[in-house]
Amino acid sequence: MRFLSRTPIRTFIVYPVLALLWELLLHGENFAPNLWFSPLLVWGYLQYRLCGRYRIERGGGGPGLETPPDRLVNTGPYAYSRNPMYLGHIIFLSGLTLTLRSWLAALITIAVAVWFHLRVCRDERKLIQRLGQPYEHYLASVKRWIPALF
């Protein structure tokens, strides 16, 4: 089940299917998604994909820290947020929550956001060891999640 253990598969396929099925079972023919929020789904997915491509092209490595980057990427979207790919997941799941009007999707979004935050804290310690002083300077100058906030 390695396929299902991959974070993008869970975020962009498994969780939406679970939430949608849950809402359909719960509300049946009265289910009425709020499509005004569906652009968040597109935004989150594209942010994940495009930031991932940008990071791999400039930093090497692969997705996630299973194959960590060879070089620090601190330009483009990474000049504003240290984790724009993970933020894309959270934006997508927030869009799912609002589009489906789903408490289950909201719980999934909160759980995933907490999990990402804990993962980022671990990843940062590994990247300090791997990339050294330039990465420590990057940590001090670029916010972890949202530019100018936190």
Side-chain angles (χ1 to χ4, degrees):
M1 294 313 267
R2 169 94 174 111
F3 178 74
L4 292 177
S5 70
R6 295 183 56 228
T7 306
I9 299 301
R10 288 193 315 265
T11 297
F12 301 113
I13 297 172
V14 174
Y15 298 149
V17 168
L18 285 175
L20 181 60
L21 289 175
W22 174 260
E23 294 304 317
L24 287 171
L25 286 172
L26 200 61
H27 301 291
E29 62 187 44
N30 294 326
F31 174 65
N34 185 345
L35 298 179
W36 283 103
F37 292 104
S38 59
L40 290 172
L41 299 166
V42 176
W43 171 14
Y45 179 74
L46 287 176
Q47 181 166 320
Y48 158 75
R49 292 292 296 182
L50 296 175
C51 290
R53 182 180 305 155
Y54 186 90
R55 190 200 77 152
I56 289 171
E57 288 172 358
R58 285 159 183 80
L65 274 190
E66 294 82 30
T67 311
D70 302 315
R71 296 168 303 284
L72 175 62
V73 178
N74 57 3
T75 59
Y78 292 89
Y80 303 99
S81 171
R82 296 194 311 252
N83 300 287
M85 289 176 66
Y86 293 162
L87 189 55
H89 284 260
I90 295 168
I91 291 168
F92 177 89
L93 291 172
S94 297
L96 182 69
T97 296
L98 295 168
T99 300
L100 298 183
R101 303 173 191 201
S102 171
W103 286 104
L104 176 63
L107 292 173
I108 290 170
T109 301
I110 291 166
V112 168
V114 168
W115 181 80
F116 271 132
H117 185 74
L118 296 173
R119 180 176 175 173
V120 162
C121 291
R122 281 191 317 271
D123 289 353
E124 286 175 349
R125 288 190 294 275
K126 291 176 187 175
L127 288 168
I128 287 171
Q129 292 175 347
R130 183 175 182 85
L131 301 173
Q133 185 66 30
Y135 189 73
E136 288 178 353
H137 181 268
Y138 178 65
L139 291 177
S141 61
V142 176
K143 297 292 184 187
R144 181 177 283 147
W145 292 109
I146 299 174
L149 291 178
F150 61 98

